[in-house]
Amino acid sequence: MGLLRIAKLRRMICYNSGKFMVVDYGGGKVKKGKYYVTTPIYYINSEPHIGSAYTTIIADVIARYKRFRRYDVFFLTGTDEHGQKVLSAALEAGKDPQVFCDELAEKFKKLWKDLEITNDYFIRTTDENHMKVVQRFVEKMMENGDIYKGKYEGWYCIPCESFWKEEELGDGKTCPQCGRPVKWVSEENYFFRLSKYRSALLKHYEENPDFVEPDFRKNEMLRILESGLQDLSITRTSFKWGVPMPRDPKHVIYVWVDALINYVSAIGYTEDDEKFERYWPADLHLIGKEINRFHSIIWPAMLMSVGLPLPRKIYAHGWLTVNGQKISKSLGNAIDPRVVVKKYGLDAVRYYLLREIAFGKDGDFSEEGLIKRINADLANDLGNLVHRTTAMIKQNFNSKVPRPSKSEGVDEKLKDSAMETISEFFDHMDSLKFTTALEKLWEFVGFSNKYIDLTEPWILAKGGDKEKERLATVLYNLSEAIRIIAVLLKSVMPNTSREILRRFGYENWDEVDETHVERWGMIKVGNPVEHGKPLFPRIDKDSERVIKMKTTDEGKREEKYAEFITIEDFSKVDLRVGKVIEAEKVEKSRKLLKLKIDLGKLGIKQIVAGIAQYYNPQDLIGKKIIVVANLKPVKLMGVESQGMLLAAQSEGKLRLLTVDGDIDAGAKIS
Ligand code: ME8
């Protein structure tokens, strides 16, 4: 985007999407143009953890930063709810998939709210509106001759929802991405002519060197493109949990095709032209490195197929480990980010993630590291700077920002350093180099502390009128330095920024934007100054840790008791002996069996259970099993299930619970 400044009016003319424009989106403040940033939409098969929070927090910093730089921002996040992986998780939880997704989507929304994420919209792929757009998008690909019917035979990884070539597999036929076993799939599918777009993609990469970042991730994509592309199977018939293929609803659309389209459906593609034109193309798709291929090859090819412009940038960041280990439930480190935030504070966690983990590379989230940063950078450097300055203003100038007079060499150095910091901070933030941006800002925090040592205000305070005049200048300069630091921190540490500015007499924090650091000397003489509590209390290095890691062995023996329940709670569950009188497979399902169970006086109940991989239907007839008889009925794959049977599961095995000897069907278990 090219920017042209028109003298004093400070009005921006923007060159955006091939057009020149002066944009004013209300409030009289001129916007520079638009900025559309997205996170991946997270699979809803389990609850969010610090890994998903990492991407969302960074996207939030970017969205806040662009608003601060006066862009018209649209920030999107959401949940990916279709596909085999989510369906299996719902079935395992014994829930109807839609009910399961509704419950988990609320958990994601609640987490983002608790983490003060400022997304403008939350998309769910089960939204009716999104599903309609997916169908229209695929129809357009068809109209363009890019979709054909064929037979898919190959390897599929369910956890990654990814197809792999034989030669890409790991030892023992495992997924090259997650290391878990892949499955042989053979189905009649629709295919997308991905191969057709190879040279167009290569050309786009060549003409837009910043299209995929960081560079080493771009090079990985170039290697894939250079080695050739295979057409992509884009429908499945083995389950129904997805968007039906237009004109052939036996097929559901591949979860990745469905998911990628969220980036256009969320802003009104084919539904709200004005909004769509206002925000598309996306300025940044922020993702983790493992899903780069989908975003940097498949998605651009899909967009080319329907004739839409490509996103401006895809940034594939690295992976976080927690206390040095891969994030995993069984190791106990897939923790709810709120636990960490509750103990250490949201801003401290945001600062730590941006400062400590070199953005783009893999990094480790360690509680020790977080405590060190809080004590050194936040409590010691920034906290002390504010504390010392406000204390001296309170003591010597009746808690008002004093009027400066003649400036000396060291004052000029502070001022020059501030101006240089602002410009470097902006440059680094613009190029997504958060770690360097914060390093620069902290160099200035350091220099401001040094300025105190050099000017020795505690000695000036004991002197006569001349020294008092000098003290006023020193404390004015320190107040201004702190004000600039707080303004620059608006997007990274919003609560700290707001609190510091409030302590220096600024209540209108929401309106603070880049114009508040246009020049040195913008702090108002006479502003009330509050000397409050330290901003960041030091953390005792021996304090109890909130991330309690298990050893790998403990992880394997992971299960804890669920919470205690009372005998009254237990008695709510009506457990009965049931005799299996019929058993058959549920059509189109690999996992489900439909059983008719005789419950004596309670009659006959139909139960759908995910045991098809462990039992042949005919082997079950006549077995006496244990059934939860008073479970609210649900539909699984369209078939009603009126109860649940009990089974034990371990290391890939599953065995049904039965009774020790003969007893009547319907007998109560207590
Ligand atoms: O892939 N470190 O969803 P997903 C850093 N639904 N980031 C991490 C992380 C970690 N340890 N773990 C997860 C999907 N992430 C698809 C996306 S988009 C059209 C569809 C973050 O729930 C990171 O951004 O598996 C990663 O790419 C994303 O969560 C994967 O989320």
Side-chain angles (χ1 to χ4, degrees):
M1 176 177 300
L3 299 175
L4 194 68
R5 235 170 226 268
I6 301 181
K8 291 190 177 138
L9 287 172
R10 291 209 339 254
R11 182 162 279 228
M12 298 291 181
I13 295 184
C14 306
Y15 182 70
N16 195 4
S17 308
K19 292 172 232 163
F20 280 102
M21 54 187 186
V22 177
V23 207
D24 189 344
Y25 289 110
K29 286 239 167 170
V30 176
K31 298 276 177 187
K32 286 177 178 172
K34 63 90 189 174
Y35 193 86
Y36 178 26
V37 55
T38 67
T39 71
I41 47 171
Y42 303 104
Y43 284 128
I44 205 165
N45 61 315
S46 61
E47 294 190 21
H49 51 64
I50 197 95
S52 21
Y54 177 60
T55 316
T56 312
I57 287 174
I58 294 201
D60 183 65
V61 170
I62 297 170
R64 286 176 187 258
Y65 173 71
K66 289 291 175 181
R67 288 186 200 113
F68 169 81
R69 301 298 306 270
R70 294 182 301 138
Y71 283 84
D72 167 30
V73 170
F74 195 85
F75 167 20
L76 177 70
T77 188
T79 41
D80 190 354
E81 306 190 2
H82 287 133
Q84 217 162 329
K85 168 164 155 154
V86 172
L87 176 63
S88 306
L91 295 182
E92 252 167 51
K95 293 199 170 142
D96 170 79
Q98 190 62 60
V99 172
F100 177 79
C101 289
D102 290 348
E103 286 172 8
L104 270 155
E106 281 315 307
K107 293 197 175 171
F108 274 86
K109 284 186 185 167
K110 172 85 179 26
L111 174 65
W112 303 148
K113 190 159 176 272
D114 292 347
L115 296 183
E116 298 175 29
I117 300 297
T118 58
N119 54 303
D120 294 288
Y121 189 60
F122 185 98
I123 188 155
R124 300 182 51 190
T125 53
T126 53
D127 290 341
E128 215 174 286
N129 181 60
H130 165 78
M131 291 175 64
K132 261 197 279 172
V133 175
V134 170
Q135 288 185 322
R136 281 190 214 126
F137 195 109
V138 170
E139 262 177 338
K140 280 183 193 245
M141 292 165 80
M142 274 176 179
E143 282 159 19
N144 196 21
D146 279 346
I147 289 182
Y148 63 93
K149 215 170 188 179
K151 186 167 164 112
Y152 178 75
E153 274 199 323
W155 298 101
Y156 194 71
C157 172
I158 298 177
C160 297
E161 297 278 18
S162 299
F163 300 98
W164 297 107
K165 292 186 215 160
E166 176 103 31
E167 61 271 23
E168 288 171 322
L169 298 181
D171 289 344
K173 303 258 181 292
T174 49
C175 169
Q177 189 164 292
C178 71
R180 281 176 275 207
V182 288
K183 246 183 59 161
W184 180 256
V185 178
S186 172
E187 271 184 27
E188 175 147 277
N189 287 165
Y190 287 91
F191 281 75
F192 167 45
R193 290 188 203 282
L194 182 62
S195 56
K196 168 175 155 187
Y197 291 97
R198 181 175 163 259
S199 45
L201 285 168
L202 278 166
K203 184 160 174 272
H204 188 83
Y205 272 70
E206 198 179 312
E207 287 169 0
N208 300 274
D210 301 335
F211 181 51
V212 179
E213 284 187 347
D215 252 15
F216 57 97
R217 299 270 165 240
K218 176 174 79 178
N219 293 339
E220 287 171 2
M221 295 302 109
L222 283 171
R223 279 198 291 276
I224 295 179
L225 285 170
E226 278 151 12
S227 73
L229 293 178
Q230 285 184 339
D231 290 348
L232 178 73
S233 158
I234 59 152
T235 63
R236 314 298 307 277
T237 52
S238 53
F239 60 91
K240 284 258 164 285
W241 185 238
V243 180
M245 181 72 174
R247 290 176 253 160
D248 196 353
K250 276 204 315 298
H251 293 251
V252 290
I253 293 168
Y254 174 39
V255 60
W256 264 105
V257 169
D258 170 356
L260 289 162
I261 295 171
N262 94 86
Y263 298 131
V264 291
S265 71
I267 50 163
Y269 179 56
T270 67
E271 299 258 301
D272 179 347
D273 292 348
E274 200 182 313
K275 187 170 182 190
F276 185 68
E277 276 178 21
R278 178 163 161 189
Y279 291 113
W280 192 256
D283 294 271
L284 176 66
H285 288 319
L286 187 64
I287 56 166
K289 63 182 182 181
E290 82 294 355
I291 54 176
N292 197 13
R293 199 167 53 101
F294 294 101
H295 285 80
S296 300
I297 294 179
I298 296 174
W299 178 227
M302 286 167 61
L303 289 164
M304 284 176 178
S305 170
V306 300
L308 283 176
L310 305 197
R312 298 236 158 81
K313 189 186 295 302
I314 296 135
Y315 193 101
H317 65 65
W319 266 44
L320 280 193
T321 48
V322 169
N323 287 350
Q325 280 173 306
K326 200 175 152 195
I327 300 178
S328 114
K329 269 197 189 153
S330 56
L331 288 175
N333 64 358
I335 47 160
D336 184 333
R338 276 170 289 216
V339 175
V340 185
V341 163
K342 187 159 172 239
K343 171 147 186 202
Y344 300 105
L346 180 56
D347 279 13
V349 172
R350 286 170 72 103
Y351 173 78
Y352 171 78
L353 286 173
L354 268 81
R355 173 79 197 259
E356 185 83 13
I357 291 143
F359 188 58
K361 308 225 176 85
D362 290 343
D364 187 44
F365 183 101
S366 94
E367 205 169 348
E368 309 299 321
L370 173 61
I371 293 172
K372 267 197 203 145
R373 282 281 175 202
I374 293 176
N375 287 344
D377 302 11
L378 303 183
N380 226 17
D381 297 348
L382 179 60
N384 271 346
L385 175 65
V386 174
H387 208 68
R388 293 204 280 175
T389 305
T390 52
M392 289 187 285
I393 294 177
K394 184 177 171 196
Q395 278 159 20
N396 297 290
F397 295 98
N398 198 19
S399 297
K400 299 257 175 357
V401 174
R403 181 173 299 283
S405 52
K406 201 164 64 347
S407 99
E408 297 185 1
V410 64
D411 307 340
E412 290 304 311
K413 271 197 189 146
L414 183 72
K415 174 179 158 185
D416 291 348
S417 164
M419 292 297 104
E420 201 183 295
T421 302
I422 296 164
S423 126
E424 289 191 21
F425 182 82
F426 284 171
D427 285 350
H428 294 307
M429 289 296 283
D430 289 341
S431 46
L432 308 178
K433 296 204 166 68
F434 309 115
T435 313
T436 332
L438 288 173
E439 271 164 20
K440 285 286 154 207
L441 185 53
W442 251 255
E443 274 172 24
F444 181 62
V445 172
F447 187 67
S448 303
N449 274 317
K450 191 165 161 214
Y451 176 82
I452 301 184
D453 300 340
L454 293 172
T455 52
E456 299 179 316
W458 57 91
I459 295 178
L460 296 172
K462 289 189 202 135
D465 285 354
K466 216 171 124 220
E467 283 78 14
K468 277 276 161 60
E469 202 181 281
R470 177 72 192 134
L471 181 64
T473 307
V474 166
L475 290 178
Y476 177 88
N477 287 342
L478 281 168
S479 306
E480 176 62 350
I482 292 171
R483 189 194 65 84
I484 289 172
I485 294 163
V487 170
L488 293 182
L489 277 177
K490 186 175 184 191
S491 45
V492 179
M493 302 174 76
N495 296 317
T496 306
S497 161
R498 187 193 294 110
E499 177 58 15
I500 296 178
L501 289 175
R502 194 193 62 74
R503 289 188 190 186
F504 280 84
Y506 291 93
E507 298 292 344
N508 59 345
W509 182 81
D510 286 338
E511 282 155 34
V512 168
D513 64 21
E514 60 173 3
T515 61
H516 292 70
V517 285
E518 264 183 343
R519 59 191 159 78
W520 176 263
M522 293 175 87
I523 194 159
K524 288 198 197 93
V525 171
N527 258 16
V529 175
E530 185 182 311
H531 177 60
K533 283 197 286 212
L535 287 169
F536 300 96
R538 286 182 68 83
I539 312 277
D540 178 356
K541 67 179 179 7
D542 298 323
S543 71
E544 204 189 334
R545 301 295 187 253
V546 290
I547 309 178
K548 298 202 171 67
M549 298 289 292
K550 294 173 189 157
T551 63
T552 318
D553 270 4
E554 280 169 338
K556 281 192 186 140
R557 282 186 267 118
E558 171 220 2
E559 255 91 17
K560 291 188 283 290
Y561 291 113
E563 278 173 40
F564 282 116
I565 57 166
T566 61
I567 190 77
E568 288 76 33
D569 293 331
F570 178 69
S571 65
K572 287 185 193 153
V573 185
D574 189 1
L575 290 174
R576 303 280 176 156
V577 174
K579 183 172 173 188
V580 182
I581 50 175
E582 279 179 32
E584 60 180 284
K585 288 198 127 191
V586 170
E587 213 185 315
K588 302 265 168 54
S589 167
R590 285 179 310 111
K591 287 200 168 174
L592 297 180
L593 291 187
K594 183 169 82 180
L595 311 173
K596 289 266 159 65
I597 311 284
D598 179 4
L599 288 173
K601 287 187 189 137
L602 291 178
I604 291 175
K605 276 195 186 267
Q606 171 167 296
I607 293 184
V608 179
I611 56 172
Q613 285 153 310
Y614 308 98
Y615 285 95
N616 283 324
Q618 63 274 20
D619 297 341
L620 291 170
I621 312 283
K623 260 194 199 304
K624 289 213 171 138
I625 60 170
I626 313 297
V627 168
V628 181
N630 61 339
L631 205 62
K632 202 167 154 203
V634 288
K635 280 204 167 158
L636 298 176
M637 306 274 293
V639 185
E640 186 170 84
S641 181
Q642 302 159 329
M644 187 175 116
L645 46 76
L646 299 191
Q649 209 165 2
S650 137
E651 311 258 308
K653 280 188 275 179
L654 180 144
R655 293 286 95 191
L656 288 174
L657 264 61
T658 57
V659 276
D660 176 23
D662 197 23
I663 193 155
D664 289 343
K668 197 162 168 50
I669 295 166
S670 54

